[in-house]
Amino acid sequence: MQTNPHSKLGKGMMIAGWTIALLVLTSIFARFESSQNNPNQQLEVSHAPSGEIQVFLKRNRYGHYVLSGKINQKDVTFLVDTGATNVSVPEAIADQLGMTRQGQGYVHTANGRAKVYYSTIQQLTIGDIELYDIPANINPHMDDEEVLLGMSALKHVEFTQQGNTLILKTSS
């Protein structure tokens, strides 16, 4: 029995079509999932004539405030953590950012006591809010892709929550 060459071509085209469709759907789903975890990839910012800057953060579906920002002019993802004394940077991210270690110590976390390295962030940017010389910890025990935005940064801004929105406010 001979097989029709057009039949093989048709099957190949159908397989290729389904493969492309699955890749496109996977890409769309990945973007959707990312926006669900970090709804603040494009921050809403307002400037008052008095020089006050406000950044509006939306809560994600897990109830957290996750946002895109910068450390030393390099993109990072922050997780707002008012229970953290300092900004806490996972070691892998700190190495990518070129952060220097300035001694070591221990901190108490939700997972218990952890050894960290002290550091300073020269510039931390949230929307149009820029903060300088912010104390930070480099944490070798964090595997996350998110930097914990602790009180060493948050104490420089006023923050209020209204419904599912957290408003960070400072004057320039």
Side-chain angles (χ1 to χ4, degrees):
M1 250 174 103
Q2 281 187 322
T3 58
N4 183 347
H6 296 294
S7 172
K8 284 186 177 180
L9 180 62
K11 284 182 183 177
M13 294 295 283
M14 189 164 64
I15 290 171
W18 278 106
T19 302
I20 291 170
L22 286 173
L23 289 172
V24 168
L25 287 173
T26 300
S27 174
I28 290 169
F29 181 74
R31 272 188 248 147
F32 173 75
E33 185 67 24
S34 176
S35 71
Q36 292 294 303
N37 183 52
N38 181 0
N40 301 298
Q41 294 177 25
Q42 299 294 322
L43 294 175
E44 180 184 343
V45 178
S46 75
H47 294 262
S50 64
E52 179 181 277
I53 301 169
Q54 290 185 335
V55 176
F56 300 86
L57 305 176
K58 297 177 191 90
R59 189 175 3 197
N60 71 11
R61 67 180 177 174
Y62 306 109
H64 301 135
Y65 292 101
V66 177
L67 62 134
S68 299
K70 294 181 185 270
I71 289 180
N72 300 333
Q73 300 179 344
K74 294 182 183 171
D75 293 333
V76 296
T77 301
F78 290 112
L79 170 63
V80 174
D81 186 353
T82 58
T85 303
N86 287 331
V87 173
S88 189
V89 184
E91 186 173 43
I93 294 175
D95 291 343
Q96 292 171 2
L97 297 171
M99 292 177 66
T100 58
R101 289 156 175 80
Q102 303 165 343
Q104 62 186 8
Y106 290 90
V107 295
H108 295 282
T109 70
N111 293 327
R113 190 173 168 193
K115 180 179 178 179
V116 297
Y117 300 96
Y118 303 124
S119 189
T120 302
I121 296 170
Q122 282 78 36
Q123 182 182 21
L124 188 148
T125 308
I126 303 166
D128 291 349
I129 296 174
E130 293 182 355
L131 306 174
Y132 298 94
D133 299 322
I134 302 299
N137 296 330
I138 298 171
N139 191 331
H141 309 288
M142 290 175 66
D143 295 329
D144 300 331
E145 297 292 319
E146 297 166 342
V147 174
L148 297 182
L149 187 61
M151 292 305 295
S152 61
L154 293 172
K155 71 181 182 181
H156 297 284
V157 298
E158 179 182 324
F159 55 97
T160 55
Q161 183 174 347
Q162 295 178 355
N164 290 329
T165 303
L166 183 67
I167 304 166
L168 304 179
K169 182 173 23 175
T170 188
S171 55
S172 61

